[in-house]
Amino acid sequence: EPEVTQTPSHQVTQMGQEVILRCVPISNHLYFYWYRQILGQKVEFLVSFYNNEISEKSEIFDDQFSVERPDGSNFTLKIRSTKLEDSAMYFCASRRARQGGEKLFFGSGTQLSVL
Amino acid sequence: AQKVTQAQTEISVVEKEDVTLDCVYETRDTTYYLFWYKQPPSGELVFLIRRNSFDEQNEISGRYSWNFQKSTSSFNFTITASQVVDSAVYFCALSDTYNTDKLIFGTGTRLQVFP
C-alpha cells in the first residue's frame, strides 16, 4: 500500500529555534494535512492544504506555524520560534479527495522535542 | 459541535479474551463518517475502518467487528480472541461531509493484551 513519508522521525531543538518538518504525501493525493499529538493526549487537527493554499486551520495553528508545498512532492510544516509546548508528535496526512469519508493516510510521525 | 468520547482510558485483558472499545459521538450533521485508527507502540496511525452515517450494518473483518448504532450515537469496536499484537492505543474519529474535512479524534483507549 502507498505510504506517507515523514522525516525526520525525531527532532530535538532548543526553545526559540525554527524547525521544519517534512512530509512526502502519496503521489496522486491532492489534500494534505498536519495533525499533532501531545504525549498521552488525543490527535488534534492543525491545518489542511489544497491547491497551494490553506483551506482550514485550527486555533493551535497561529502565526508561528506555516505550511508549504515547495515542489511537486514535499509538504512542510515550519514552526518559526519553537516553544516548550510545541513538543509533540506531528503527523502528516494526505488523501485523494476531500469528501468526509475518503480514507486519510497518515505518516509515521515526527517526534519533536523542544528543550 | 462535533465531539468524540472514548470513556475507557485503558483496558487490560489476557490473550484470547474478547474486548470491546466504546466510542460515543456528537454531531448535528445528518451525514458524517466515523473511523477507527490503531496506534501501535511504534507510533504510527493505522487506518482500520470508516463507516458512513447511512450505513448501520455491522461489519466484521477477521477478529475485528464494529457495531454502529445511530440511536445511541455509538460506534463500538470489538476484538475477538485478542492477541498480544493487538496491544495499542485505539482512536475513534468523526468527520462531517460539508463544513470541514478534518477528523475529530477521541482521546483514545489504550489496550494492553497480556500473554
Side-chain angles (χ1 to χ4, degrees):
Chain A
E1 183 158 57
E3 287 184 350
V4 175
T5 306
Q6 288 186 245
T7 54
S9 55
H10 291 87
Q11 173 98 43
V12 180
T13 189
Q14 296 288 327
M15 192 169 60
Q17 294 295 304
E18 174 183 287
V19 293
I20 297 176
L21 309 182
R22 301 179 193 280
C23 170
V24 179
I26 294 170
S27 60
N28 64 343
H29 285 187
L30 301 175
Y31 295 84
F32 313 113
Y33 307 82
W34 285 99
Y35 285 76
R36 82 170 185 191
Q37 183 184 28
I38 293 172
L39 183 64
Q41 298 185 24
K42 65 180 175 182
V43 180
E44 300 175 291
F45 169 80
L46 290 179
V47 65
S48 58
F49 190 86
Y50 169 70
N51 201 25
N52 281 320
E53 59 183 31
I54 291 173
S55 42
E56 186 178 1
K57 59 184 181 180
S58 72
E59 293 172 352
I60 303 166
F61 194 88
D62 62 21
D63 292 344
Q64 292 300 310
F65 291 87
S66 62
V67 289
E68 194 178 33
R69 188 151 162 85
D71 52 42
S73 59
N74 290 287
F75 179 50
T76 61
L77 173 69
K78 183 194 291 188
I79 309 175
R80 263 181 271 283
S81 177
T82 49
K83 303 189 274 278
L84 295 176
E85 53 265 37
D86 293 328
S87 296
M89 177 76 93
Y90 288 80
F91 291 102
C92 174
S94 71
R95 57 185 178 189
R96 206 166 39 94
R98 187 184 182 272
Q99 286 88 348
E102 186 73 17
K103 181 178 171 181
L104 190 61
F105 290 80
F106 284 89
S108 52
T110 293
Q111 181 65 55
L112 176 65
S113 298
V114 182
L115 306 178
Chain B
Q2 295 178 312
K3 188 178 176 184
V4 176
T5 300
Q6 294 180 257
Q8 305 150 307
T9 53
E10 188 159 343
I11 300 175
S12 296
V13 299
V14 177
E15 222 174 4
K16 296 184 185 167
E17 282 185 37
D18 299 347
V19 58
T20 295
L21 310 181
D22 297 333
C23 173
V24 174
Y25 62 92
E26 292 175 34
T27 179
R28 278 181 245 165
D29 299 304
T30 55
T31 304
Y32 51 89
Y33 288 84
L34 296 162
F35 301 79
W36 276 94
Y37 281 85
K38 174 182 179 179
Q39 187 178 41
S42 47
E44 71 271 25
L45 285 167
V46 179
F47 169 86
L48 295 177
I49 191 172
R50 69 170 173 264
R51 175 53 51 88
N52 77 54
S53 52
F54 295 110
D55 182 3
E56 286 195 71
Q57 276 197 335
N58 291 329
E59 183 156 340
I60 298 174
S61 175
R63 295 184 297 107
Y64 295 170
S65 62
W66 290 270
N67 182 2
F68 176 33
Q69 299 222 342
K70 241 172 150 173
S71 58
T72 55
S73 297
S74 65
F75 185 44
N76 296 337
F77 171 33
T78 297
I79 302 174
T80 304
S82 58
Q83 299 175 0
V84 173
V85 293
D86 296 326
S87 297
V89 180
Y90 291 85
F91 290 97
C92 182
L94 167 71
S95 174
D96 75 17
T97 55
Y98 296 113
N99 297 323
T100 175
D101 58 351
K102 68 185 179 193
L103 292 185
I104 305 295
F105 282 83
T107 49
T109 297
R110 179 177 298 278
L111 174 65
Q112 294 203 69
V113 182
F114 294 100

